[in-house]
Amino acid sequence: MAKECPVCGTKIIGRADKKFCSDYCRNAFNNQLNKDSKNLIRNINNRLRKNYRILEELNPNEKTKTTKTKLIAKGFDFQHFTSIYTTKTGNIYYFVYDQGYLPLENEFYALVKRNS
Ligand SMILES: [Zn+2]
């Protein structure tokens, strides 16, 4: 059975490992892939930037406490951070660049700024 080009649906003639009917379709396919991954990266970067701004705004003096409610009200997204730091005592800080947060009891959060 002849394979079909995933871009235009034309039957592919030629070598068995040929994936596209033409260079044009191969390029179109790869460009679309790049576009999708660029969009993904841009969306995640935007979320990280937003999270960073929220932490910066709530923590102007490098150390404070806040609540989950306040973070969520500002649109904070707990799924997006850049690194995790576990202390010797097992506390886990989540960092968005140099702004970190540590979940405390009763939905409180400690906010810290990491000094470089
Ligand atoms: Zn094609």
Side-chain angles (χ1 to χ4, degrees):
M1 213 182 86
K3 274 193 303 185
E4 287 179 359
C5 173
V7 177
C8 70
T10 301
K11 287 215 162 37
I12 296 172
I13 300 152
R15 294 202 331 254
D17 62 347
K18 207 172 160 188
K19 281 188 190 141
F20 302 96
C21 72
S22 61
D23 286 346
Y24 176 84
C25 281
R26 184 166 39 77
N27 287 335
F29 186 85
N30 289 331
N31 287 342
Q32 188 59 43
L33 272 189
N34 285 336
K35 203 173 130 202
D36 288 349
S37 64
K38 271 180 200 150
N39 282 340
L40 176 75
I41 290 167
R42 191 172 55 222
N43 290 340
I44 292 174
N45 281 342
N46 286 341
R47 287 190 184 203
L48 286 172
R49 197 174 299 128
K50 186 174 180 187
N51 275 357
Y52 187 78
R53 276 202 218 105
I54 293 166
L55 292 174
E56 214 176 19
E57 193 186 319
L58 290 173
N59 185 22
N61 298 315
E62 309 205 342
K63 199 171 185 192
T64 190
K65 260 190 203 177
T66 191
T67 62
K68 190 173 192 173
T69 314
K70 270 190 198 166
L71 286 163
I72 289 172
K74 289 186 177 295
F76 195 79
D77 178 351
F78 291 89
Q79 305 292 318
H80 291 87
F81 46 86
T82 56
S83 63
I84 287 178
Y85 175 72
T86 308
T87 65
K88 280 178 190 152
T89 52
N91 290 324
I92 301 172
Y93 285 84
Y94 298 86
F95 277 89
V96 182
Y97 306 111
D98 60 355
Q99 296 282 352
Y101 59 97
L102 169 71
L104 304 170
E105 285 180 352
N106 301 319
E107 307 211 317
F108 275 91
Y109 282 84
L111 303 184
V112 296
K113 189 173 183 220
R114 184 162 52 193
N115 292 310
S116 46

